[in-house]
Amino acid sequence: MCQSFVDYSSCKAGKPGSNLGICGVRFNLSPMSDQFSEIILSAIKKVNKEAIWAHTDHVSTVYRGQKEAIFDAVKSCYLHAYQEGIHIHFEATFSKGCPGDTDADYTLTLENNRPNQSQTSHITFPVIGKFAVYPMGSETYMTEIETIINQGIEQGLVSGSSHYCTLLAGDIHAIFQYLEDSFSFLEQHVSHFIIQVTLLCNIPEGEI
Amino acid sequence: MCQSFVDYSSCKAGKPGSNLGICGVRFNLSPMSDQFSEIILSAIKKVNKEAIWAHTDHVSTVYRGQKEAIFDAVKSCYLHAYQEGIHIHFEATFSKGCPGDTDADYTLTLENNRPNQSQTSHITFPVIGKFAVYPMGSETYMTEIETIINQGIEQGLVSGSSHYCTLLAGDIHAIFQYLEDSFSFLEQHVSHFIIQVTLLCNIPEGEI
């Protein structure tokens, strides 16, 4: 394997590498079950990918496209993986505006950018989890983080603050809507940002 | 549940909330096995926590203390969870210098800050994964990211770049050493930073 060095000397804070405004998410589904492989592969196949660019390898899956389309697709993947009683760990990195990004590997559709909505809206379950927001290249980043957390508290979806994260609890659809709204808020205030989130379903009972 | 709003108006970029330089990691172990609960709880219990502050809830586990102590503890937790043939997803958020941090919830020991090393150094296995580095409050963040990625390429631990992450592959101990070295590099160059990493072991064979 010959791996070339990277060169980001032409990258500048505040200047996205993609002129098309491509949004993206990279995620992992980890069903804590002996049947993990079937659950993951089946969920990935069930997602309607006509509105996104998608790639899965042994490490994770990435979707790129319009904001609405990537949120629709990644949420539907988690919904398709859901089975009663199966504890699933989901982690995702949402991002937009990286100065090192390029106008490649994307689908940008103008119509029907939520093709999975009608097939998956009946699947619903509670999740708990955590998230963190990273507005890049900005000295005022704590202000944007504060606004987003307080919006989640107002909506009853933020269950607490802890070291290195904000805690989440609520219905899966409400949580994804909050994450998408936070993404929209960041789009208006920051050139490059990341939302890192972990969502767990079917939590075992009992004390730890 | 009554959740108070957060107020970060006194936080300033470049000014860590902890004057003691507390380092931290928040992580999840997700064994994709019907025995996930026993594997997680057993691993967490086996970690020697004398050099760190530790807290586990239903969402994740957090360790706080000196850099060497948190890396020693979190690596040993993954090593203790390892079983031949069990596919485990590990995700961790390493962080230092958040303006919203405080001088609370920590252990800072001056001697023997790697108490788990001798018990776990014989456990070894290959991992693949991904990581991303977020230097906060700085306009030159792409430069620090470039330096860290190129150090990983030189060491043969970076297997590629992809959207929203850099890919990792190598021995578990070598990968953790690279992450700790990257943490040390960031300490010298950035007031507040995050390293987000995912490491998978016992990857199923076959095409996706």
Side-chain angles (χ1 to χ4, degrees), chain A residues 134 141-142, chain B residues 14 16 95-99 134-137 190-194:
Chain A
Y134 305 123
Y141 64 101
M142 294 302 287
Chain B
S95 181
K96 185 176 181 183
C98 181
Y134 306 123
M136 303 303 296
V190 194
S191 176
H192 175 205
F193 59 88
I194 297 99

Side-chain angles (χ1 to χ4, degrees), chain B residues 54-67:
Chain B
H55 179 73
T56 297
D57 60 27
H58 282 91
V59 173
S60 52
T61 293
V62 62
Y63 293 158
R64 279 163 63 85
Q66 285 179 315
K67 174 181 58 188

Side-chain angles (χ1 to χ4, degrees), chain A residues 8 26 91 146 162 192, chain B residues 8 26 141 146 162 192 198:
Chain A
Y8 296 150
R26 176 175 288 279
E91 69 142 310
E146 178 186 289
S162 191
H192 176 203
Chain B
Y8 296 149
R26 177 175 287 279
Y141 65 100
E146 178 186 289
S162 191
H192 175 205
T198 305

Side-chain angles (χ1 to χ4, degrees), chain A residues 110 116 163 170:
Chain A
L110 295 176
N116 292 281
H163 297 296

